Amino acid sequence: TNHLDLHGVLWLQEHLRREWGADAAKKDRIVVVVSHDRAFLDACATDVLEIYDCKLRNFPGNYSSYLERVADEQRLLLLRKTEAEKEEKLAKKEISNMKKKAREHADDKKVRQLKSREKKMEKAFKLSSMREFGKDGEDIVTKLREDGTLRFRFPEPDVMLPESANLLEMDGACIRQGSTVILKKVTLTLDPQSRVAIVGGNGAGKSTLMR
């Protein structure tokens, strides 16, 4: 859908729903769609295939349903991690108290047994944490499918214009590319607070206008 204009996306969306999607009379066809358009996926998809950690999983429903399922998994994973940390902390406190009592009674044998038990327990908790939450229990971000490497930064402008100043003013303008006129009688005013979307069919001249 990246190369389709809005009208093309809407036509394809309705066509897939009517002919091959959930609303189709015959359910004898499978259509696989790769798209970044969430609204399109919500309207057309009946299942979502997720590729993650070298595994392929199927989630019934559209893209929004898939996001809800993943969010539920994230919440459960964080709850399990919190409970595991509480359990480990409680077990360590219990052994610490037992060692304190053994030292008070000068029971060196008991102290050695408790130290050995403590090491085994720490190893068991560490292995369990690695299996459940990732290496050293700190890979929770990756487990939650969050990409921490993607960042956007917009540089600060060198010159700040007053809010009352217009960035662009056109009144009956004619825009050309070379000798070809692509827009006529353009009247337009853009101020610093303007947020503009340029829409139009394929070939209408959106990219040309930006150049």
Side-chain angles (χ1 to χ4, degrees), residues 78-95:
L78 288 173
L79 284 174
R80 290 201 301 270
K81 187 174 188 292
T82 301
E83 290 299 320
E85 289 174 348
K86 288 181 179 179
E87 183 181 347
E88 181 180 4
K89 186 177 181 179
L90 184 62
K92 287 182 177 180
K93 184 177 180 180
E94 182 179 351
I95 289 183

Side-chain angles (χ1 to χ4, degrees), residues 1-111:
T1 57
N2 288 355
H3 302 290
L4 298 177
D5 60 15
L6 179 59
H7 297 292
V9 171
L10 293 176
W11 178 89
L12 178 61
Q13 176 179 303
E14 182 59 28
H15 176 75
L16 292 177
R17 284 173 55 87
R18 184 178 63 252
E19 299 296 331
W20 294 346
D23 299 336
K26 294 183 179 180
K27 307 294 183 182
D28 58 347
R29 300 171 182 176
I30 296 176
V31 179
V32 179
V33 176
V34 178
S35 175
H36 298 287
D37 189 329
R38 295 189 177 192
F40 176 80
L41 291 174
D42 272 345
C44 297
T46 60
D47 294 83
V48 174
L49 293 177
E50 180 200 58
I51 302 175
Y52 174 73
D53 195 23
C54 298
K55 297 176 183 177
L56 185 67
R57 295 177 62 195
N58 178 62
F59 293 82
N62 59 17
Y63 188 72
S64 290
S65 298
Y66 158 73
L67 291 180
E68 290 176 1
R69 285 280 303 277
V70 171
D72 287 341
E73 289 183 358
Q74 293 178 359
R75 285 190 288 269
L76 288 173
L77 186 63
L78 288 173
L79 284 174
R80 290 201 301 270
K81 187 174 188 292
T82 301
E83 290 299 320
E85 289 174 348
K86 288 181 179 179
E87 183 181 347
E88 181 180 4
K89 186 177 181 179
L90 184 62
K92 287 182 177 180
K93 184 177 180 180
E94 182 179 351
I95 289 183
S96 178
N97 291 335
M98 293 172 65
K99 286 194 300 183
K100 182 178 179 181
K101 290 181 179 179
R103 289 193 181 99
E104 289 175 353
H105 291 83
D107 191 343
D108 294 337
K109 182 179 179 181
K110 186 67 173 179
V111 172

Side-chain angles (χ1 to χ4, degrees), residues 172-211:
C174 179
I175 300 176
R176 302 172 181 268
Q177 184 179 34
S179 60
T180 304
V181 176
I182 59 174
L183 290 173
K184 298 179 180 178
K185 299 180 180 179
V186 179
T187 299
L188 175 68
T189 300
L190 299 180
D191 59 44
Q193 303 303 317
S194 297
R195 301 296 182 266
V196 182
I198 300 177
V199 298
N202 284 344
K206 301 186 294 296
S207 299
T208 302
L209 174 62
M210 293 302 296
R211 287 196 294 267

Side-chain angles (χ1 to χ4, degrees), residues 118-131:
E118 186 177 33
K119 289 181 180 179
K120 291 179 180 179
M121 182 192 68
E122 289 178 352
K123 184 177 180 181
F125 274 118
K126 185 176 181 179
L127 289 174
S128 176
S129 179
M130 288 177 63
R131 284 194 298 267

